[in-house]
Amino acid sequence: MSAWAAPLRLALSLGLPPEAFWRLSLKEWRALTEAPPAPSLNRAALCDLIARYPDEETVP
């Protein structure tokens, strides 16, 4: 199997025709396929999560 098979299948699943896939630069391909950065969690958001989902203490 070609090293290009998996990226080409991914491109097709994204609706990108093969001819468009082969015209992409590496930078464009990465922009299409990389996950967006995870949002940062500030102290206020963390405190809100802790208040909404407290750890439950279990007694054996």
Side-chain angles (χ1 to χ4, degrees):
M1 183 182 290
S2 167
W4 292 103
L8 187 52
R9 277 196 304 274
L10 177 58
L12 292 172
S13 73
L14 294 171
L16 197 65
E19 56 276 359
F21 168 78
W22 292 113
R23 286 193 309 263
L24 289 174
S25 68
L26 183 56
K27 189 174 187 176
E28 291 169 325
W29 175 250
R30 286 182 177 156
L32 282 172
T33 59
E34 286 183 352
S40 60
L41 187 64
N42 61 24
R43 184 170 294 277
L46 176 61
C47 289
D48 180 52
L49 284 174
I50 291 170
R52 288 175 38 200
Y53 304 102
D55 290 337
E56 294 181 26
E57 293 196 26
T58 56
V59 179

